[in-house]
């Protein structure tokens, strides 16, 4: 079975703090893809990153960074120097070739206070 | 501009009155899918389509129908809506079914069934 767990339901930080959103996944596929999406208060879903199972290199994009560790089945997302505009619900998702579908975690609501 | 367009954005209807939510993409994507988003449950897939005339059930297909007569359109049909179908619905499309490309999401349709 495929599963994505985002254990943190809500996180509240003060602006400029660093914050890490956890994502743990389960899959039996050897080839799979992991995603992060952002859902701001306006409701749309914004793609942030895709990572395939053969690429364990960490990625950095501005204040965003992602840490993919197959050994712990985790794909964590860190925001450095958080800003109020980062306030949103963040979803981690898994795509496995055997299922042809994107499995989402339950999301983490991040509130960045000024 | 590449986009997935859903209509309507908001809909209030009564139990049992058939409705259709339209979804159209202009990226020539093969893969399209429908999700519903409920508090605490994340996004769950309703139906997906790998190409024209090819559709299959997702995790929560009961009470829904879809069709894929043209590549660009993937309407979601509720033949007899019930209050438990009150939810936020998203249509998505991606280049292929292998997860090698990110899913583009529509703006969402907030459906209330009374």
């Amino acid at each position: 079975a495929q599963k994505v767990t985002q254990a943190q339901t809500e996180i509240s930080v003060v602006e400029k703090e660093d914050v890490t959103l956890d994502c743990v996944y389960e899959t039996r596929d050897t080839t799979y893809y992991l995603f992060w999406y952002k859902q701001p208060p306006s409701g749309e879903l914004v793609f942030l990153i895709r990572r395939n199972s053969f690429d364990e290199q960490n990625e950095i994009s501005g204040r965003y960074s992602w840490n993919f560790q197959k050994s712990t089945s985790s794909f964590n997302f860190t925001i450095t120097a958080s800003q109020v505009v980062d306030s949103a619900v963040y979803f981690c998702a898994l795509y496995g070739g055997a299922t042809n579908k994107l499995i989402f975690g339950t999301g983490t609501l991040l509130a960045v206070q000024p | 501009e590449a986009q997935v367009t859903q209509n309507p954005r908001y809909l209030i209807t009564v139990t049992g009155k058939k409705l259709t939510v339209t979804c159209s993409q202009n990226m020539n994507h093969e893969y399209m899918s429908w999700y519903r988003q409920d508090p605490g449950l994340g996004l769950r897939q309703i139906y997906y389509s790998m190409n024209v005339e090819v559709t299959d059930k997702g995790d929560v297909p009961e009470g829904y129908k879809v069709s894929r007569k043209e590549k660009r359109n993937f309407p979601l049909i509720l033949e007899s809506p019930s209050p438990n179908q009150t939810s936020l619905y998203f249509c998505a499309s991606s280049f292929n079914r292998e997860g090698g490309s990110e899913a583009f999401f529509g703006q969402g349709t907030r459906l209330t069934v009374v």
Side-chain angles (χ1 to χ4, degrees):
Chain A
Q2 306 212 98
K3 187 178 179 182
V4 176
T5 301
Q6 294 179 256
Q8 304 151 307
T9 305
E10 292 186 35
I11 299 175
S12 182
V13 299
V14 177
E15 213 171 13
K16 298 184 182 175
E17 282 186 34
D18 298 347
V19 58
T20 295
L21 309 182
D22 297 333
C23 174
V24 175
Y25 63 92
E26 296 175 29
T27 181
R28 292 181 181 172
D29 289 331
T30 53
T31 301
Y32 53 90
Y33 298 82
L34 294 162
F35 299 77
W36 276 96
Y37 289 88
K38 174 182 180 180
Q39 186 176 43
S42 51
E44 73 272 24
L45 283 159
V46 178
F47 166 81
L48 295 177
I49 189 171
R50 178 188 70 248
R51 173 67 73 216
N52 75 52
S53 52
F54 299 108
D55 181 2
E56 283 193 76
Q57 276 194 336
N58 292 332
E59 177 141 348
I60 297 174
S61 176
R63 295 184 298 105
Y64 295 172
S65 62
W66 290 269
N67 182 283
F68 177 28
Q69 292 197 334
K70 287 178 78 169
S71 60
T72 56
S73 296
S74 65
F75 187 44
N76 296 337
F77 172 32
T78 297
I79 301 175
T80 303
S82 59
Q83 300 176 2
V84 173
V85 294
D86 296 326
S87 297
V89 179
Y90 291 87
F91 290 99
C92 180
L94 165 70
Y95 185 100
T99 60
N100 286 322
K101 55 187 172 185
L102 203 53
I103 306 291
F104 283 81
T106 52
T108 297
L109 172 62
L110 173 64
V112 181
Q113 310 296 336
Chain B
E1 180 188 352
Q3 59 185 7
V4 177
T5 304
Q6 288 179 233
N7 280 297
R9 293 286 311 278
Y10 302 91
L11 179 61
I12 301 175
T13 190
V14 296
T15 299
K17 185 176 181 182
K18 181 179 178 181
L19 66 92
T20 299
V21 184
T22 62
C23 174
S24 180
Q25 50 95 1
N26 63 359
M27 295 166 280
N28 202 35
H29 285 169
E30 292 182 346
Y31 187 88
M32 297 184 75
S33 55
W34 277 101
Y35 296 85
R36 62 178 288 173
Q37 182 180 0
D38 301 291
L41 297 176
L43 282 85
R44 295 176 294 166
Q45 193 182 56
I46 303 170
Y47 270 94
Y48 66 94
S49 169
M50 290 189 282
N51 215 324
V52 175
E53 302 291 3
V54 181
T55 63
D56 208 346
K57 297 177 181 178
D59 292 319
V60 288
E62 294 78 21
Y64 305 95
K65 284 175 58 178
V66 293
S67 68
R68 187 92 181 273
K69 293 184 170 56
E70 307 164 283
K71 200 170 188 179
R72 63 183 292 125
N73 295 322
F74 190 45
L76 179 70
I77 303 156
L78 285 72
E79 294 269 2
S80 183
S82 61
N84 64 13
Q85 293 179 296
T86 292
S87 187
L88 177 58
Y89 291 86
F90 287 99
C91 178
S93 75
S94 58
F95 180 66
N96 59 49
R97 64 176 172 164
E98 299 301 327
S101 63
E102 68 269 24
F104 289 79
F105 285 85
Q107 293 288 87
T109 296
R110 188 166 292 281
L111 172 66
T112 302
V113 183
V114 298

